[in-house]
Amino acid sequence: MVWFTFKVQIILLLACPMIIPSTNAEFDSMEFWRKRNNLIDEEKSLAFGGKTPFYSESEIRANDILMKHKSSEINEAFFNSSEFAPSRNFMSVRKSIEDSNVFKIIRKMPKGAVLNVHASALVSAKWVYENVTFRDNVYICIRPEKLLLRIFDKPSNDCNWQLLSDLRNANETARTQINSRILRQLTLGTEGQAESYSSEDDLWAKFKKVFDLRVPLLRYKPLFEDYLYQGLKELYDDNVFFLEVRTPLLEMYDLDGKTYDEKESTEVYINVTNRFMRDHPDFMGVKIIYSIYRKMISSNLTETIKKIIQLQQIYPNVIAGIDLIGQEDLGYPLRNWISVLEPFINKTDFYFHAGETNWYGLESDENLFDAVLLNSKRIGHGYAIVKHPKIMELIKQKRMAVEVCPIANQVLALITDLRNHPASILFAQNFSIVISSNDPGVWGATALSYDFYEAFMGLMSNHSDIRALKQLAINSIHFSSMNQGQKARAVEIWVQKWKDFVDMV
Ligand SMILES: *[C@@H]1O[C@H](CO)[C@@H](O)[C@H](O)[C@H]1NC(C)=O
Ligand SMILES: *[C@@H]1O[C@H](CO)[C@@H](O)[C@H](O)[C@H]1NC(C)=O
Ligand SMILES: *[C@@H]1O[C@H](CO)[C@@H](O)[C@H](O)[C@H]1NC(C)=O
Ligand SMILES: *[C@@H]1O[C@H](CO)[C@@H](O)[C@H](O)[C@H]1NC(C)=O
Ligand SMILES: *[C@@H]1O[C@H](CO)[C@@H](O)[C@H](O)[C@H]1NC(C)=O
Ligand SMILES: *[C@@H]1O[C@H](CO)[C@@H](O)[C@H](O)[C@H]1NC(C)=O
Ligand SMILES: *[C@@H]1O[C@H](CO)[C@@H](O)[C@H](O)[C@H]1NC(C)=O
Ligand SMILES: *[C@@H]1O[C@H](CO)[C@@H](O)[C@H](O)[C@H]1NC(C)=O
């Protein structure tokens, strides 16, 4: 009844807005609804993607379909109180995300570039397990707290190395046990289940063990070449066409006894990327953000940065810049290195991780101040940004992009329910955001779509539509380190892919 009167009033209002007397009590309630709608519309148009235009009729139709699915999946959780995937640990809900129609559309969507991924966690755990651990010459050393894997011609004597294949062939018990231990150390959870940890530091300790297993394997050059190719393939299959990867350039080796220094490791990246681009001409390439572990700055950082800049001068299209990585709460804060870093402003580009923490007013969230003052190109994570109004003002003004990594923040225990993720506030206020996957291989994800899904469903408003997803893709190109020519070509390729995508939907 109320609804009916309301509708009649709308019709009246539309027909003759001027003659409704302002003393009419019912008019006031109309007025209320008008104001309410205006406010909501205003917010919608202020939010991320709110002013991004639709490109075509067919995009509008694709949006209707996408939003029908989004609304039904959200309503399902809201009215029927079923579990809402973004509110639960990704490792427990990955399978149900894969069943979502929204996810299926996002998988097919051309997402542009991924700008925050660590090389050693780029490739899915499944591939590492199935491909890497079953190679010849893989040795294992079993320690009580962790396993080590290495590829040798002849094992070194720094550990009790044995051939993994021998152990697997010893007997059924040995095989099952070792396989399950390897699988457990390759990710932060077992298949379909998140492990529980007593503290955040505990979790980071496990996180480190995952890398202790992966990283030494990747120094074996022939393996790394397959690994990187596979990583690019996983991105490409997920409709991502450019990668900015964070990595140190570790010395590589092969079984002929040859070692490969940083320059040659860079060449390995280049050669694999070129091979991949020959096989996939619409892939745009790879750039490296040279990453230094903040906890392990033992050598002279000035020297290290000079060396990186030299490398950047040799390969200006490959080395994009520098980051300090690793857990901020326990690593050295940026402020310890100001006198070293400041002289390099504008001599290279910084891409600092900053504010990946739950703390407020401590050295780890205050890394944000240093990152902004050191003219960082983008901010990695920036989880603590919304607690710092001056930082919010500055990054808005400087148009600094924030690399939001929803699943990483959840799995690494900053937050459980992604509806509470602070980047919701950044989306609401149209900050320059890109969505990244950070370490997909470590939590049973691949590429980028899972993070896009979590952002679209959990972080953005129920109202945010295909235009917000489109804006994320556009941002990923705009805020990348591609040069102007590459960006122009990337946009051209992406626009065509986008057109095909909306037609397909
Ligand atoms: C969001 O910010 C971008 C870049 O500053 C701007 O082009 C766009 O119009 C803004 N969108 C809204 C909804 O204000
Ligand atoms: C979500 O938004 C849709 C419109 O896009 C609306 O129909 C639906 O009622 C909203 N869901 C809830 C629970 O409010
Ligand atoms: C809730 O679940 C029931 C039974 O599965 C279904 O009929 C109904 O449409 C659902 N409601 C919403 C809002 O999704
Ligand atoms: C591992 O991957 C490489 C490259 O795709 C392939 O040639 C090789 O056969 C694979 N090996 C195993 C054991 O799966
Ligand atoms: C299985 O092999 C392991 C490793 O070689 C050995 O320690 C264990 O005793 C064997 N178990 C049986 C039942 O043979
Ligand atoms: C990269 O490819 C070039 C050309 O094929 C080759 O000469 C060079 O040795 C390769 N570099 C490495 C480190 O594999
Ligand atoms: C690091 O190397 C630079 C020269 O590149 C030198 O000036 C500086 O004193 C060194 N710092 C330390 C702490 O050794
Ligand atoms: C770096 O470049 C920016 C923009 O070009 C400029 O505003 C700033 O003053 C420069 N900073 C230093 C320390 O050279």
Side-chain angles (χ1 to χ4, degrees):
M1 185 61 204
V2 172
W3 176 237
F4 174 73
T5 335
F6 175 50
K7 275 209 282 206
V8 167
Q9 284 179 353
I10 289 185
I11 291 161
L12 280 177
L13 181 66
L14 288 176
C16 42
M18 303 310 291
I19 59 167
I20 292 180
S22 65
T23 50
N24 185 330
E26 294 203 23
F27 171 79
D28 289 340
S29 104
M30 287 281 295
E31 188 58 15
F32 176 88
W33 288 105
R34 196 187 55 76
K35 281 188 186 153
R36 184 180 189 275
N37 287 340
N38 280 350
L39 279 175
I40 291 177
D41 284 347
E42 233 177 285
E43 270 204 355
K44 280 192 208 169
S45 85
L46 282 175
F48 188 89
K51 288 206 181 81
T52 310
F54 283 110
Y55 286 170
S56 64
E57 275 305 313
S58 122
E59 188 179 316
I60 293 173
R61 281 197 301 277
N63 188 50
D64 291 343
I65 292 166
L66 173 71
M67 293 308 279
K68 192 180 88 211
H69 291 308
K70 176 172 178 174
S71 179
S72 107
E73 286 170 28
I74 286 183
N75 284 5
E76 169 75 26
F78 187 74
F79 292 110
N80 280 353
S81 66
S82 64
E83 305 232 54
F84 185 49
S87 71
R88 296 182 53 209
N89 190 302
F90 171 74
M91 285 180 289
S92 333
V93 297
R94 196 192 81 215
K95 291 237 158 62
S96 75
I97 291 178
E98 284 162 4
D99 290 338
S100 143
N101 287 318
V102 170
F103 179 75
K104 285 173 191 159
I105 294 174
I106 286 177
R107 276 276 292 169
K108 299 223 162 69
M109 180 190 145
K111 288 169 283 288
V114 59
L115 302 182
N116 183 325
V117 180
H118 299 282
S120 46
L122 170 65
V123 176
S124 60
K126 184 172 184 295
W127 188 87
V128 174
Y129 179 75
E130 285 170 3
N131 188 296
V132 177
T133 76
F134 287 92
R135 289 181 181 228
D136 297 338
N137 295 98
V138 176
Y139 284 80
I140 188 162
C141 174
I142 302 174
R143 293 207 173 132
E145 77 289 1
K146 68 181 174 193
L147 303 173
L148 299 174
L149 291 176
R150 196 103 8 124
I151 294 177
F152 291 116
D153 191 12
K154 270 201 236 42
S156 60
N157 48 20
D158 56 353
C159 208
N160 184 18
W161 296 106
Q162 53 180 320
L163 259 181
L164 178 54
S165 56
D166 284 353
L167 183 57
R168 278 176 167 149
N169 291 332
N171 55 57
E172 193 50 38
T173 318
R175 192 207 333 276
T176 321
Q177 274 177 358
I178 201 61
N179 283 349
S180 98
R181 245 190 108 177
I182 293 172
L183 280 169
R184 254 182 294 136
Q185 205 182 315
L186 274 175
T187 67
L188 283 174
T190 43
E191 187 57 31
Q193 213 177 341
E195 271 174 42
S196 55
Y197 298 92
S198 59
S199 73
E200 212 178 297
D201 292 343
D202 214 38
L203 200 157
W204 273 85
K206 167 72 193 278
F207 191 51
K208 191 174 165 301
K209 277 185 210 166
V210 176
F211 289 101
D212 290 344
L213 196 63
R214 283 177 170 245
V215 172
L217 289 166
L218 301 180
R219 297 178 67 165
Y220 177 55
K221 179 181 178 252
L223 189 157
F224 183 77
E225 290 166 338
D226 289 347
Y227 174 92
L228 180 59
Y229 194 94
Q230 174 67 20
L232 301 186
K233 185 167 178 305
E234 288 178 11
L235 291 176
Y236 187 82
D237 291 346
D238 195 44
N239 292 298
V240 176
F241 71 179
F242 180 75
L243 165 67
E244 257 171 53
V245 69
R246 279 173 166 86
T247 185
L249 288 162
L250 300 173
E251 186 177 271
M252 294 187 194
Y253 67 96
D254 61 26
L255 293 186
D256 302 330
K258 185 167 167 22
T259 56
Y260 300 83
D261 63 14
E262 295 199 324
K263 186 166 169 293
E264 291 165 311
S265 298
T266 313
E267 252 179 54
V268 172
Y269 273 91
I270 296 170
N271 287 358
V272 172
T273 306
N274 287 344
R275 179 158 60 91
F276 191 84
M277 287 167 76
R278 267 198 305 278
D279 300 344
H280 309 87
D282 52 352
F283 191 79
M284 290 296 302
V286 176
K287 291 198 191 216
I288 295 171
I289 297 172
Y290 195 113
S291 307
I292 304 163
Y293 283 100
R294 61 190 337 126
K295 190 93 194 262
M296 296 203 277
I297 302 175
S298 49
S299 52
N300 185 324
L301 186 58
T302 303
E303 290 292 330
T304 306
I305 295 178
K306 280 188 178 159
K307 221 174 49 188
I308 299 168
I309 291 176
Q310 270 168 16
L311 207 55
Q312 190 171 18
Q313 281 158 353
I314 304 173
Y315 301 113
N317 270 325
V318 181
I319 308 287
I322 296 174
D323 187 12
L324 299 188
I325 60 168
Q327 190 185 8
E328 285 177 70
D329 288 337
L330 296 183
Y332 300 118
L334 286 174
R335 69 168 189 215
N336 287 19
W337 306 102
I338 300 305
S339 64
V340 174
L341 296 171
E342 202 188 13
F344 292 106
I345 294 182
N346 295 356
K347 298 214 168 62
T348 182
D349 286 326
F350 294 129
Y351 295 87
F352 288 126
H353 272 72
E356 184 188 5
T357 180
N358 270 336
W359 290 103
Y360 181 20
L362 276 75
E363 58 183 31
S364 40
D365 65 310
E366 289 179 356
N367 278 334
L368 285 165
F369 290 90
D370 306 298
V372 168
L373 291 172
L374 290 167
N375 220 8
S376 192
K377 282 274 173 195
R378 303 189 297 260
I379 304 282
H381 293 284
Y383 188 85
I385 280 176
V386 299
K387 293 171 186 165
H388 296 285
K390 289 310 283 184
I391 296 296
M392 288 180 84
E393 198 180 306
L394 281 167
I395 62 173
K396 194 92 191 231
Q397 184 192 325
K398 294 177 173 225
R399 287 208 70 196
M400 240 182 226
V402 185
E403 301 161 352
V404 174
C405 309
I407 300 176
N409 299 149
Q410 183 187 55
V411 171
L412 292 175
L414 291 184
I415 191 163
T416 304
D417 186 337
L418 285 175
R419 287 171 296 181
N420 293 327
H421 194 290
S424 285
I425 298 163
L426 302 181
F427 277 119
Q429 300 183 29
N430 188 34
F431 275 77
S432 300
I433 297 173
V434 295
I435 292 291
S436 293
S437 49
N438 204 225
D439 297 294
V442 173
W443 36 81
T446 43
L448 187 56
S449 286
Y450 295 98
D451 282 278
F452 258 63
Y453 173 85
E454 299 275 20
F456 188 54
M457 299 296 281
L459 271 58
M460 292 184 196
S461 160
N462 178 36
H463 303 301
S464 294
D465 60 19
I466 202 167
R467 294 169 304 151
L469 294 173
K470 183 167 74 175
Q471 191 63 49
L472 283 176
I474 294 169
N475 280 3
S476 77
I477 298 170
H478 181 84
F479 292 104
S480 76
S481 64
M482 283 187 254
N483 62 37
Q484 288 311 314
Q486 289 168 320
K487 280 184 190 171
R489 195 173 118 72
V491 168
E492 204 180 295
I493 292 178
W494 177 82
V495 165
Q496 184 56 48
K497 284 175 183 287
W498 183 263
K499 215 171 141 291
D500 296 344
F501 160 71
V502 293
D503 289 344
M504 186 271 306
V505 173

